[in-house]
Amino acid sequence: MKRLAPSMLSADFSKLREEIANIEKVGVQYLHLDVMDGHFVPNISFGAPVIKSLRKHSNMVFDVHLMIENPEKYLQDFAKAGADILNVHQETCPDLEKTIGMIHDLGCKAAVTIKPDTPIEKILHVLDKVEMVLVMTVYPGFSGQKLIPEAMAKIPELVKIREERGLNFDIQIDGGVGMGNLREVLATGVDVIVSGSAVFDAEDPAVAAKAFLETFKEFE
Ligand code: DX5
Ligand code: ZN
């Protein structure tokens, strides 16, 4: 089953609880939470206290995308705040296997993320240890950028590797996905679709999210 993970980065921060309830009511499964530290990426977003406050008001899977240096230092805070999936960048983890082990020990699902210029060879050794792989199709830091097709080409490769090795991690895409390219994106075999601006910049995010979910049915 394909799942939608709207990125809260594009929501109206003055009414987050309402924004989240609005998409949850139409059946959105995941909430993508972009944590940025101003070091790994040139932008600062929000941290664990915001996630903790929202946790009480939502049953969606909290998919926490950590765009931060030294993620190990903060994993516990995010797990305590209510993260279901802790998503770390390969580029920030010198010992990826150790970081993934720490995430599992905290009772969360582990995901590994690669930037558009990071080849999949860098994560081959952990594909049997993670629940999800996130392929970034924009350079992390901002929503509303254009999808980089060369980065998306990694998805069918990962689908092939997953099949050959009999693994079962989910594949997620993040960056520049909207209704204009959604069918092309879904055709890659991706499982979880992140979308920020295409959902939360819409006049009614619930209507926009529903359009994504309806299109998913064509690929199931
Ligand atoms: C970018 C973030 C994305 C972003 C996606 O660094 O990781 O999750 O919010 O936004 P759109 O869908 O607008 O590209
Ligand atoms: Zn993200």
Side-chain angles (χ1 to χ4, degrees):
M1 202 178 82
K2 311 274 185 200
R3 279 140 287 160
L4 180 63
S7 161
M8 201 178 79
L9 193 60
S10 294
D12 181 340
F13 280 29
S14 71
K15 50 169 185 172
L16 287 177
R17 183 175 166 183
E18 214 176 302
E19 290 269 72
I20 288 166
N22 190 32
I23 54 162
E24 190 164 7
K25 72 170 194 275
V26 295
V28 166
Q29 305 96 333
Y30 285 23
L31 182 67
H32 186 77
L33 296 150
D34 288 302
V35 177
M36 301 176 173
D37 66 352
H39 291 277
F40 177 62
V41 288
N43 199 7
I44 298 174
S45 58
F46 52 83
V50 172
I51 296 172
K52 188 178 173 208
S53 302
L54 294 170
R55 182 70 282 181
K56 314 188 251 304
H57 304 292
S58 173
N59 290 316
M60 284 186 285
V61 172
F62 276 16
D63 166 34
V64 178
H65 181 187
L66 295 172
M67 287 165 275
I68 60 175
E69 299 285 359
N70 296 317
E72 298 82 9
K73 199 172 155 192
Y74 303 96
L75 293 174
Q76 194 173 17
D77 288 353
F78 286 103
K80 274 195 187 154
D84 296 293
I85 303 170
L86 286 171
N87 214 321
V88 292
H89 270 261
Q90 181 276 336
E91 302 86 3
T92 63
C93 299
D95 189 344
L96 202 47
E97 290 186 68
K98 186 175 154 218
T99 311
I100 291 165
M102 286 170 72
I103 294 173
H104 286 150
D105 288 346
L106 288 164
C108 295
K109 290 187 172 164
V112 63
T113 307
I114 47 173
K115 292 205 291 189
D117 56 358
T118 301
I120 53 179
E121 284 68 29
K122 298 263 187 196
I123 55 166
L124 288 178
H125 62 298
V126 294
L127 292 181
D128 60 343
K129 295 174 181 67
V130 291
E131 281 74 35
M132 190 165 75
V133 172
L134 166 53
V135 174
M136 290 225 60
T137 42
V138 298
Y139 282 90
F142 304 91
S143 52
Q145 304 181 75
K146 213 169 160 290
L147 181 145
I148 301 167
E150 296 77 20
M152 187 166 72
K154 291 175 204 167
I155 296 173
E157 285 181 54
L158 281 165
V159 170
K160 191 163 167 267
I161 295 169
R162 180 173 64 185
E163 202 176 299
E164 282 168 2
R165 291 174 53 183
L167 301 173
N168 52 19
F169 55 86
D170 282 330
I171 304 172
Q172 183 179 45
I173 186 168
D174 184 6
V177 182
M179 286 309 290
N181 58 13
L182 181 60
R183 286 183 178 82
E184 197 189 330
V185 166
L186 291 167
T188 62
V190 76
D191 306 292
V192 186
I193 290 90
V194 174
S195 186
S197 47
V199 172
F200 284 111
D201 285 355
E203 201 180 317
D204 184 347
V207 173
K210 211 156 187 250
F212 273 80
L213 297 174
E214 284 300 316
T215 309
F216 289 1
K217 290 182 187 158
E218 295 171 26
F219 290 80
E220 270 152 14

